[in-house]
Amino acid sequence: MDPRGTDLRLVGQLHEMSLQELRLRFGHRNRNRLRAIDQMYSRTRGMNPLVRLGALDGDGGADDFVMVSDDMLCRVVEVWTFEGRRGQSHEWVCRYFGPDGTLIDETPSPFGHKGHPYVVKYYPLTDGEVHPFIEDVIDQQRHINLLITTIDHIMMNSAKGALLFPTDALPPGVRIEEAARLWGSPGAVIPVNPKASRLPEEVSSPGTNQGASSLLDMELKLFQQISGVTSALQGHDAGGNVSASLYNSQAGNAAIALTDVFATFDSFRSARDTKAMNTVNKYSH
């Protein structure tokens, strides 16, 4: 419910690492731990994916949770939980699990801030749901995609320089393929039977997509109005009849609608840098 993520109680990520790296990070130079890690990953590599950690529904969709992109790598699940211990206040605890759910390692937060190493920013967060900036223009974007597809279909199937050549216009000894080749050659001389019912003609259908093109242009303008990202903000050429002061004013007014987005992202970067510095300071000592 908090856009800053301060009410998180469970967070983590998936890792892919080699067995050598896994032994180095979690073996702690203990032969028993190293042997247990080797046995666990030799066992899980031949295990049915449907019985691995996370694949509880049996539909195969959760298989990606434990599968790795390379057979030479090992899946490690990092999980941070906010919990309380006896005689202590609540604290963040990090645990690493294997693909079969076996606990590999466990440690309280080693950082100076005593929290998890992640920074999140949910914007805009309304009643626990994120409604992104692009959500306001999704319907317009779908309609624009439909119009572009329609225009492409019309152009693909419309007549473009189609030649209507009456069969009785072919003089004796001339084939229709030869007449078609001559028609497309510059400066060609095409023999035609003067007694033909009508002369050959070329047919094209310009303007068949005029309605769709006009609607597409209107949708693009509506897209700019809804999003607030106008041509001035994009840096497009305004033409010679627009002064520099007016152009700067248009760009500034368009940026007002996005000020909150930029400020939120800036605060996210600030929080990220602060947590990163606290982490670096912890390990630098």
Side-chain angles (χ1 to χ4, degrees):
M1 301 300 294
D2 190 338
R4 301 166 297 176
T6 58
D7 54 351
L8 283 176
R9 295 298 178 264
L10 176 67
V11 64
Q13 69 182 103
L14 304 178
H15 297 278
E16 292 182 353
M17 60 183 69
S18 64
L19 183 60
Q20 291 78 8
E21 180 183 357
L22 197 147
R23 288 164 53 92
L24 180 63
R25 292 184 59 179
F26 304 110
H28 303 313
R29 299 181 180 180
N30 184 294
R31 292 184 178 181
N32 294 331
R33 290 182 60 88
L34 292 173
R35 186 182 303 108
I37 291 174
D38 292 341
Q39 292 176 351
M40 177 182 62
Y41 279 92
S42 63
R43 181 176 68 251
T44 56
R45 282 180 176 177
M47 183 186 298
N48 186 343
L50 295 181
V51 300
R52 294 182 182 182
L53 177 64
L56 302 178
D57 50 4
D59 59 357
D63 190 24
D64 294 337
F65 185 81
V66 294
M67 295 296 291
V68 291
S69 59
D70 189 339
D71 292 338
M72 301 302 295
L73 300 177
C74 303
R75 168 66 80 211
V76 179
V77 184
E78 178 181 357
V79 179
W80 289 78
T81 54
F82 189 67
E83 56 189 53
R85 297 189 173 185
R86 292 181 180 179
Q88 298 181 4
S89 60
H90 284 73
E91 62 178 353
W92 281 97
V93 179
C94 177
R95 294 182 177 88
Y96 293 90
F97 297 93
D100 62 347
T102 300
L103 179 64
I104 301 176
D105 204 355
E106 176 181 354
T107 178
S109 176
F111 309 122
H113 48 73
K114 297 300 180 181
H116 58 75
Y118 306 101
V119 177
V120 297
K121 178 70 70 172
Y122 304 107
Y123 175 85
L125 188 68
T126 305
D127 294 334
E129 295 183 355
V130 177
H131 299 276
F133 171 77
I134 197 65
E135 187 176 24
D136 295 334
V137 294
I138 287 180
D139 292 337
Q140 281 71 30
Q141 184 64 64
R142 289 174 178 171
H143 199 192
I144 288 173
N145 296 341
L146 176 61
L147 289 174
I148 293 177
T149 304
T150 302
I151 293 174
D152 182 70
H153 182 75
I154 292 174
M155 295 179 63
M156 184 183 301
N157 294 277
S158 62
K160 297 175 287 293
L163 176 61
L164 299 181
F165 206 107
T167 55
D168 59 351
L170 286 172
V174 179
R175 297 182 303 159
I176 189 67
E177 292 81 8
E178 180 67 14
R181 185 186 65 81
L182 292 174
W183 190 275
S185 302
V189 178
I190 303 175
V192 177
N193 186 358
K195 298 181 180 180
S197 58
R198 60 190 180 93
L199 295 178
E201 60 177 328
E202 187 173 334
V203 178
S204 59
S205 55
T208 54
N209 61 341
Q210 183 176 3
S213 300
S214 301
L215 186 58
L216 176 61
D217 183 64
M218 183 184 68
E219 286 285 350
L220 291 175
K221 293 180 180 178
L222 184 62
F223 193 95
Q224 292 185 357
Q225 294 176 0
I226 295 176
S227 64
V229 184
T230 62
S231 58
L233 187 62
Q234 295 173 1
H236 292 174
D237 187 9
N241 59 342
V242 178
S243 64
S245 59
L246 177 59
Y247 189 78
N248 291 334
S249 177
Q250 291 175 349
N253 292 336
I256 293 177
L258 303 176
T259 301
D260 197 25
V261 178
F262 297 149
T264 301
F265 182 70
D266 186 63
S267 67
F268 165 75
R269 294 181 57 186
S270 177
R272 177 204 61 184
D273 296 342
T274 301
K275 179 164 285 191
M277 288 300 299
N278 291 336
T279 303
V280 171
N281 293 336
K282 172 66 177 179
Y283 287 103
S284 63
H285 291 78

